Amino acid sequence: MDLQLSGRVAVVTGASKGIGLAVARTLAEEGAHVVAVSRRRTDALPGEVVHVAADLMDPQEHARVVGRAVAEFGGLDILVNNAGGPPPGVTLPRVGFMAPDDEDWRAMFEFNLFSVVRMIRAAVPVMLERGGGSIVNLSSTMARQPGAMNVDYAAAKAAVSHVSKAVAEEYGPRGVRVNTLTPGAVLTDWWTRPGGAAEVMGAMVGATKEDVVTKVAPEMLRMVTGRLVDPQEIADAVALLASPRSGSTTGAELVIDGGQLKEL
């Protein structure tokens, strides 16, 4: 299937690893001009991808990123708000409502919500100049399943889902589509890095990191596939949502979670 992405200009945040890296690679393979945003460049990015080093917790950086896309390629057609998760220096999972203090909440919302809001705010006027565009915001199944674990992160992602629908409603008539992609647990370094979620969870339940990734986490999360999601599976869905082939899809939520969410 031709996704009709050739020559389109895309900005992907959090693009140095995991989902973001897979998205940047996939859009580039489909012929898009990709601006990859992260604190540091990785050699894993394709050579034709333009990297912009930026800290998206800095309110001044979002307009600079979009400006770079315009300077390099003349405009912006696609925005993928993937950056998120634990703010720098924070380790998740974190259990209990009382665990995060005010500063933890501020940092979590700054990274996972306000950076998304600011990127959209910078991107929409540029997209409107070109007659429209596509925004894909990454949320989380935690936004749909409130609980004691990572409550601040889940609340921020729930807000992302709300913002996505609000912006889709306002700008859909002017050609800007906005959709949310909601992953479940994805096999990224969020889980596998030293001191990451797999080790933290393993210490809680008395399991090795490897057992957490391959067995404990999928079982605890009730993933009917029995495994964590592959980042490429998320990237493929992002590419479809970004494509004109999804021209009637806006204000929607696509869940890719290995069957975790069971609610109607």
Side-chain angles (χ1 to χ4, degrees), residues 173-229:
R174 300 176 66 184
V176 177
R177 297 185 298 109
V178 187
N179 294 290
T180 306
L181 199 153
T182 298
V186 181
L187 187 56
T188 66
D189 82 329
W190 190 86
W191 285 91
T192 59
R193 69 175 181 265
E199 287 189 4
V200 174
M201 188 176 291
M204 292 177 182
V205 301
T208 65
K209 179 169 73 173
E210 291 72 20
D211 283 344
V212 169
V213 168
T214 60
K215 188 172 188 297
V216 175
E219 288 180 356
M220 288 180 64
L221 295 171
R222 300 189 301 155
M223 300 176 76
V224 298
T225 57
R227 63 174 177 83
L228 301 189
V229 179

Side-chain angles (χ1 to χ4, degrees), residues 71-91:
E72 292 281 348
F73 303 115
L76 179 62
D77 304 296
I78 299 163
L79 169 62
V80 182
N81 279 310
N82 167 72
V90 174
T91 297

Side-chain angles (χ1 to χ4, degrees), residues 100-131:
D101 60 19
D102 281 4
E103 189 53 44
D104 293 325
W105 278 88
R106 289 189 190 97
M108 192 65 72
F109 269 65
E110 191 71 44
F111 192 38
N112 288 278
L113 175 62
F114 298 148
S115 68
V116 172
V117 169
R118 292 171 183 139
M119 283 302 309
I120 295 173
R121 192 183 288 151
V124 164
V126 179
M127 289 181 171
L128 292 176
E129 290 176 0
R130 288 163 75 89

